[in-house]
């Protein structure tokens, strides 16, 4: 594997995970589906720039240059930039912000110093104070594994606005990522079907092929480089009519 990842948790309610990686060689990797909004700082030789990324609803192939370094801030679900709706960034329609100097970039008319692995929380706190990023706390109610006081229509509207994808799409993505980690940890394919909540092995295979880019057997063999994929618990069950009555578990074909 030509990408080496390191990640850590954060005590900020706005941050899901902080990660960094570097590449010794150039190569092609699978960019797996993801639900979260991200900011990524890229350093390539004498270039440094910050990219804003939205959710990815399917796996795609991506090229990686040699001798690069990346720092990623994966924000909590429901955190977004009001001026750049996450739906506008969906499926790798990334936005790279203009550089100000070799150490800073332009954002909302001001120069911001690039964050590093240790000071991400301070950087994000400044973004929050300036109103550049916000969090829709209604998403927390949507994610609870029991009925919410928010109506289904209101919950769907909040979720789509704050994440750029539907709740059922997010559930499918997080379940596929969880299943992938189970397989990589040595859990059998049949046990993964049960543990991750798939109907059967065919359902698991169809989901992983679309969202991760590999079949369960290919994931077990670890024969392809994947994008950032950290260990997570099982995603909460979607407790609403969209999931229980309207077939939200039907993976895309």
């Amino acid at each position: 594997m030509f990408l080496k990842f390191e990640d850590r948790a954060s005590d900020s309610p706005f941050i899901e995970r902080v990660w960094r990686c570097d590449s010794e060689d150039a190569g092609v990797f699978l960019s797996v589906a993801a639900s979260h909004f991200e900011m990524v700082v890229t350093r390539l030789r004498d270039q440094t720039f910050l990219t804003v990324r939205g959710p990815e609803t399917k796996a795609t192939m991506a090229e990686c240059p040699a001798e690069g370094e990346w720092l990623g801030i994966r924000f909590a679900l429901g955190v977004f930039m009001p001026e750049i709706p996450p739906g506008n960034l969906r499926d790798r329609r990334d936005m790279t912000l203009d550089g100000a100097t070799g150490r800073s970039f332009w954002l909302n008319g001001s120069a911001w110093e690039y964050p590093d692995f240790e000071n991400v929380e301070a950087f994000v706190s400044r973004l929050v104070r300036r109103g550049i990023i916000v969090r829709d706390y209604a998403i927390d109610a949507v994610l609870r594994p029991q009925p919410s006081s928010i109506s289904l229509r209101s919950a769907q509207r909040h979720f789509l606005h704050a994440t750029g994808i539907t709740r059922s799409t997010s559930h499918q993505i997080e379940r596929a990522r969880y299943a992938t980690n189970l397989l990589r940890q040595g859990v059998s394919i049949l046990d993964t079907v049960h543990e991750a909540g798939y109907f059967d092995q065919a359902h698991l295979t169809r989901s992983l092929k679309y969202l991760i880019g590999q079949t369960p057997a290919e994931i077990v063999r670890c024969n392809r480089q994947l994008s950032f994929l950290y260990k997570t618990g099982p995603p909460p069950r979607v407790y609403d009519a969209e999931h229980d009555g309207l077939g939200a578990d039907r993976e895309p074909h």
Side-chain angles (χ1 to χ4, degrees), residues 70-91:
W70 291 268
L71 167 69
I73 308 171
R74 176 159 291 180
F75 291 94
L77 207 59
V79 174
F80 64 102
M81 297 176 67
E83 294 192 8
I84 311 176
N88 292 2
L89 302 168
R90 186 174 56 233
D91 290 328

Side-chain angles (χ1 to χ4, degrees), residues 97-167:
L97 304 183
D98 292 333
T101 69
R103 297 172 56 87
S104 61
F105 63 96
W106 291 109
L107 179 60
N108 280 29
S110 299
W112 292 71
E113 187 171 333
Y114 291 110
D116 58 41
F117 194 68
E118 286 73 30
N119 72 4
V120 161
E121 283 76 13
F123 170 74
V124 170
S125 292
R126 290 180 59 210
L127 294 176
V128 174
R129 289 196 299 270
R130 294 279 295 272
I132 294 174
I133 64 171
V134 299
R135 183 174 182 179
D136 186 342
Y137 285 95
I139 302 302
D140 294 342
V142 177
L143 294 175
R144 294 191 192 109
Q146 67 266 344
S148 171
S149 59
I150 301 176
S151 70
L152 174 59
R153 180 171 296 182
S154 177
Q156 291 171 333
R157 184 172 63 251
H158 275 275
F159 204 94
L160 182 60
H161 175 72
T163 68
I165 55 178
T166 66
R167 176 66 185 100

Side-chain angles (χ1 to χ4, degrees), residues 6-72:
E6 178 185 0
D7 66 276
R8 65 173 177 82
S10 173
D11 58 5
S12 169
F14 288 82
I15 300 172
E16 169 76 12
R17 206 79 181 171
V18 182
W19 60 268
R20 61 183 173 187
C21 74
D22 61 79
S23 63
E24 295 182 356
D25 303 310
V28 177
F29 67 95
L30 278 167
S31 183
V32 303
S35 302
H36 298 252
F37 161 64
E38 284 190 330
M39 287 184 174
V40 179
V41 178
T42 299
R43 290 183 170 87
L44 291 173
R45 300 180 181 86
D46 58 347
Q47 289 185 311
T48 302
F49 52 91
L50 185 143
T51 301
V52 181
R53 297 178 177 175
E56 297 182 57
T57 62
K58 59 183 178 180
T60 55
M61 302 299 296
E63 294 186 0
C64 175
E67 300 179 0
E69 297 180 4
W70 291 268
L71 167 69

